[in-house]
DNA sequence: GTCGTGACTAGCC
DNA sequence: CGGCTAGCCACGA
């Protein structure tokens, strides 16, 4: 097993707690860790993602509801994400941007 | 112990 | 409105 840093470990747990059909933002997670500025550090933890299938990194997006950088850019999760988006998440940024209220509905607020 | 990176955020031009 | 810079935190080398 891989030894994970305490910080990353917390991030993974939070992300894993995200229910199906909902998403969270890096900042939100960082805030949950009481580190409002560690948003990037959170992303780093997910980038390593030792719990790949367990931690739905695709459910974590930027605070602006942007895809941050995984979809069809750096990683080839492309199809994986697409599947998840259709099966688990209504990750239609188009819809989200159109309906600000809707995005809040799918936004899973961590504490 | 120091430097550089990274899937970020907010502010500034 | 759009692009760029600076700042933030954590981790790897």
């Amino acid at each position: 097993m891989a030894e994970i840093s305490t910080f990353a470990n917390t991030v993974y747990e939070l992300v894993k707690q995200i229910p199906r059909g909902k998403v969270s933002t890096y900042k939100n997670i960082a805030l949950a860790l009481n580190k409002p500025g560690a948003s990037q550090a959170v992303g780093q933890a997910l980038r390593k993602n030792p719990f790949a299938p367990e931690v739905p990194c695709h459910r974590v997006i930027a605070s602006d509801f942007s895809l941050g950088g995984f979809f069809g850019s750096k990683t080839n999760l492309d199809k994986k994400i697409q599947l998840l988006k259709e099966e688990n998440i209504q990750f239609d940024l188009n819809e989200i941007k159109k309906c600000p209220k809707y995005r809040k509905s799918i936004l899973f607020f961590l504490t």
Side-chain angles (χ1 to χ4, degrees):
Chain A
M1 302 303 275
E3 283 99 60
I4 324 287
S5 299
T6 313
F7 191 80
N9 194 2
T10 316
V11 175
Y12 300 138
E13 286 203 28
L14 284 170
V15 175
K16 282 199 288 191
Q17 281 170 58
I18 300 177
R20 168 176 173 273
K22 294 209 173 174
V23 294
S24 181
T25 64
Y26 293 106
K27 200 185 177 186
N28 201 347
I29 296 171
L31 247 152
L33 300 175
N34 219 16
K35 285 173 203 256
S39 41
Q40 197 165 22
V42 173
Q44 250 191 18
L46 294 176
R47 167 195 170 256
K48 294 165 188 192
N49 200 10
F51 297 91
E54 294 183 57
V55 177
C57 0
H58 26 263
R59 275 184 204 163
V60 186
I61 55 176
S63 72
D64 210 62
F65 278 88
S66 318
L67 289 184
F70 34 111
F71 295 129
S73 233
K74 268 163 191 161
T75 45
N76 17 330
L77 304 179
D78 225 26
K79 290 201 159 169
K80 243 200 208 164
I81 301 307
Q82 184 112 31
L83 198 74
L84 256 147
K85 154 184 155 186
E86 305 241 333
E87 300 263 340
N88 295 313
I89 309 177
Q90 289 156 59
F91 214 66
D92 295 279
L93 290 176
N94 225 354
E95 301 282 304
I96 294 172
K97 287 192 173 177
K98 276 168 98 175
C99 302
K101 253 162 82 183
Y102 174 67
R103 67 169 167 179
K104 222 180 175 192
S105 276
I106 63 164
L107 203 261
F108 177 66
F109 283 98
L110 307 155
T111 39

